[in-house]
Amino acid sequence: MDPTKSEEPLLSDRVLVNGSETTAILTSGGQLRWSDRSLDVEEEVIGFSVEGLKIKIRIVECTAGLCCFAKSTIMRKNFTLEFSSNSSLHSWAQNLHEILDALGRPKRLFIFVNPYGGKNSALKIFETEVKPLLDDANIDFTVQETKYQLHAKEVVQELDLTKYDGIVCVSGDGVLVEVVNGLLNREDWDAAIKIPLGVVPAGTGNGMIKSLLDSVGQPCAAFNATLAVIRGHKRLLDVATISQGDTRYFSVLMLAWGLVADIDIESEKYRWMGSARIDFYALQRIFGLRKYNGSIIFVPASGYETYGEPLDHADDLIVEIESGSNSDKEPTRTQLYGYHGPHVDIKCLNWHKIDGPFVSIWLHNVPWGGEDAMAAPDAEFSDGCLDLIMIKDCPKLSLLKIMTELSNGGHVKSPYVSYLKVKAFVLQPGSRTENPAKDGIIDVDGEVLARGKGTYKCDQKSLMAYDKLLIKVDQGLATVFSPI
């Protein structure tokens, strides 16, 4: 029981609880008590309904106490309080409504379900795990199945957001990224991006919800993710704007170039192997290791100024970046409206440079890249920084060890890994060192942002060219439902 919550009784009545007569007490601090039972309305009560002279209280209960979140120990449970008069019933119902309303929980949700993601299980997860909890919580919802890539983005761009208290994605990270890009491409983007976003894990990559749940020690499960939405707690989330000339893309998870991008994208050819394809193709890429020419330019966060060589503000390269990204003036708009990234005078920033070749460049906004990859253990949700994980050179056996330690974040302790925080970043990708006729792939949030010549499916169109990219971070731009 939370000692900070008031114990002053609001109501006290003789009632029948599941058929047994007792005295029930509701306190101003949101404690509901009878006999030897005490419920914390905020933590345990999901919702209630009135049937005749009865109030059915719907709760989630953990057999090992409130601090236990293992899915196997959490259950839904009902208690029925039967009153002797309509006046008592009305007073209890009204006060329970007021206590729950004061918690700021969502009442209306727009829900995307991606039936094609992961193991094609999103519809089943929604019907068996998400919907029953939403019904218990008296939440109204509209469900939209995604039909094709970028469908969620299209829907969100035209959605009447005033009808909803949040948008939830029963999917992997891809649909969430589409939603963010859709919101930021609206005419009213500054208001639209404030709508809280939720994720229920139902895809191949569930890095965002894994990061949110793991931050409080909860397993990455649909039950826990849905409870996080219902309880309505929120936190801010950084959004990275990736720009190339006038083209913009908004990222909330990660950007990869080199080894990680190659494994993520090229392993699709082995999709028939299921999740084992990642490990299988990682071995191929490690023992057939590629290195890439190129360079990175970045603004180190405080405490990381020793990385790279300081770059003169007057350097021609900085002038070229600034010109290409329009950062010294209002951005050139390729659409009539929409957000175009934070305004930053990049001439005044403390730029550093590192030249290749590189094995891997990996930028992360949140700790987990997937349920089994703690890519950036020190990443924070709204610190205004991206975490950079860089490998320039590494023996193959050491690289194999590094990859096996991704599950616990131990890879960043390797002497072959540089791990730092950056406030802005420029990627200048180049060709493979062993085969200059072939380039690489730039992977953003699990999707191909750019493909160079000679790469996997290089004939397919990508959003950006395999060329210089500027990345700026907008601190706390988005809002997500969070366990706390």
Side-chain angles (χ1 to χ4, degrees):
M1 185 180 300
D2 187 345
T4 66
K5 294 185 176 180
S6 173
E7 292 301 304
E8 180 182 349
L10 284 175
L11 296 169
S12 178
D13 273 294
R14 295 294 289 179
V15 299
L16 294 177
V17 179
N18 290 353
S20 299
E21 187 174 357
T22 185
T23 298
I25 298 172
L26 180 64
T27 74
S28 57
Q31 299 293 314
L32 175 58
R33 299 198 299 266
W34 66 87
S35 301
D36 59 349
R37 184 80 196 207
S38 180
L39 294 176
D40 186 309
V41 174
E42 181 177 4
E43 294 296 328
E44 296 174 89
V45 176
I46 299 301
F48 72 92
S49 59
V50 177
E51 302 169 5
L53 288 175
K54 299 177 181 178
I55 293 179
K56 181 179 287 187
I57 309 290
R58 295 185 285 270
I59 74 166
V60 288
E61 182 176 63
C62 180
T63 56
L66 284 178
C67 294
C68 175
F69 291 100
K71 184 181 174 184
S72 60
T73 63
I74 292 182
M75 63 182 71
R76 295 162 55 226
K77 195 171 184 178
N78 296 331
F79 291 99
T80 300
L81 279 62
E82 185 172 354
F83 296 84
S84 59
S85 69
N86 279 316
S87 61
S88 292
L89 174 80
H90 176 75
S91 294
W92 276 77
Q94 181 177 346
N95 278 273
L96 281 170
H97 267 302
E98 290 174 356
I99 290 172
L100 289 172
D101 284 349
L103 298 175
R105 293 179 175 179
K107 298 178 181 179
R108 305 164 300 171
L109 295 172
F110 191 90
I111 300 176
F112 286 106
V113 178
N114 178 13
Y116 308 108
K119 298 178 181 179
N120 301 324
S121 59
L123 286 171
K124 181 179 179 182
I125 289 172
F126 175 75
E127 289 294 335
T128 62
E129 300 194 56
V130 180
K131 184 177 182 296
L133 281 169
L134 297 179
D135 289 339
D136 281 355
N138 307 116
I139 293 177
D140 295 327
F141 53 87
T142 301
V143 177
Q144 171 68 64
E145 290 184 33
T146 55
K147 305 297 185 184
Y148 46 84
Q149 191 173 20
L150 299 181
H151 186 199
K153 179 183 176 183
E154 293 175 1
V155 171
V156 165
Q157 286 181 210
E158 303 298 329
L159 189 65
D160 183 357
L161 298 178
T162 62
K163 294 181 178 180
Y164 304 101
D165 302 315
I167 299 174
V168 177
C169 307
V170 184
S171 66
D173 294 309
V175 173
L176 172 66
V177 175
E178 287 189 24
V179 169
V180 170
N181 276 270
L183 293 173
L184 290 173
N185 275 284
R186 292 169 59 109
E187 185 173 7
D188 62 345
W189 65 265
D190 51 344
I193 195 60
K194 292 181 174 65
I195 190 168
L197 308 176
V199 186
V200 175
T204 303
N206 300 303
M208 182 60 69
I209 189 60
K210 171 71 174 183
S211 297
L212 289 164
L213 293 173
D214 184 70
S215 69
V216 293
Q218 295 185 20
C220 186
F223 196 96
N224 294 330
T226 307
L227 284 181
V229 172
I230 290 172
R231 286 172 173 152
H233 299 303
K234 307 172 190 70
R235 73 189 312 162
L236 298 178
L237 178 69
D238 292 344
V239 176
T241 301
I242 305 171
S243 58
Q244 185 179 75
D246 299 333
T247 306
R248 304 286 189 273
Y249 187 83
F250 304 103
S251 167
V252 294
L253 197 69
M254 67 89 180
L255 178 144
W257 171 58
L259 179 64
V260 173
D262 291 348
I263 293 171
D264 191 21
I265 302 303
E266 293 178 2
S267 64
E268 289 179 0
K269 65 183 77 171
Y270 301 107
R271 185 168 285 275
W272 55 270
M273 295 178 66
S275 59
R277 67 186 171 93
I278 298 293
D279 292 337
F280 172 76
Y281 195 67
L283 286 173
Q284 287 193 41
R285 286 278 52 83
I286 289 172
F287 290 105
L289 191 61
R290 302 167 181 165
K291 294 182 183 178
Y292 291 90
N293 295 308
S295 63
I296 60 172
I297 306 170
F298 56 93
V299 178
S302 177
Y304 297 94
E305 293 88 353
T306 59
Y307 289 89
E309 295 296 326
L311 201 60
D312 186 358
H313 290 192
D315 190 282
D316 289 342
L317 187 57
I318 291 294
V319 173
E320 182 183 351
I321 294 168
E322 185 180 44
S323 175
S325 63
N326 300 293
S327 63
D328 61 343
K329 57 184 178 181
E330 286 299 309
T332 300
R333 301 196 172 192
T334 55
Q335 298 180 346
L336 294 177
Y337 42 75
Y339 183 56
H340 292 268
H343 178 79
V344 178
D345 185 356
I346 66 176
K347 283 183 179 179
C348 297
L349 298 178
N350 179 29
W351 290 94
H352 288 219
K353 184 179 183 182
I354 297 176
D355 289 316
F358 301 97
V359 170
S360 179
I361 293 293
W362 206 2
L363 285 168
H364 250 268
N365 193 35
V366 296
W368 291 84
E371 290 189 55
D372 300 318
M374 186 191 281
D378 295 337
E380 299 179 27
F381 294 96
S382 57
D383 62 352
C385 296
L386 296 172
D387 284 35
L388 170 61
I389 306 100
M390 176 180 65
I391 302 175
K392 288 200 65 179
D393 196 14
C394 185
K396 293 177 181 178
L397 290 179
S398 297
L399 187 56
L400 183 61
K401 184 175 187 297
I402 287 171
M403 298 301 285
T404 60
E405 291 183 335
L406 270 173
S407 60
N408 59 23
H411 61 291
V412 300
K413 299 177 182 178
S414 168
Y416 300 104
V417 175
S418 295
Y419 182 40
L420 62 149
K421 289 181 178 287
V422 301
K423 290 183 170 293
F425 188 87
V426 175
L427 174 64
Q428 298 186 115
S431 61
R432 299 182 197 173
T433 57
E434 77 283 2
N435 187 351
K438 293 187 175 182
D439 293 329
I441 294 171
I442 301 173
D443 171 14
V444 174
D445 296 344
E447 302 294 337
V448 175
L449 184 72
R451 305 177 195 263
K453 60 182 183 294
T455 58
Y456 176 66
K457 293 187 177 180
C458 61
D459 57 322
Q460 294 188 2
K461 185 178 180 181
S462 55
L463 179 64
M464 295 186 183
Y466 187 74
D467 202 348
K468 189 188 298 104
L469 302 173
L470 172 63
I471 305 170
K472 295 179 286 187
V473 184
D474 207 320
Q475 186 170 3
L477 182 64
T479 302
V480 290
F481 288 112
S482 174
I484 58 172

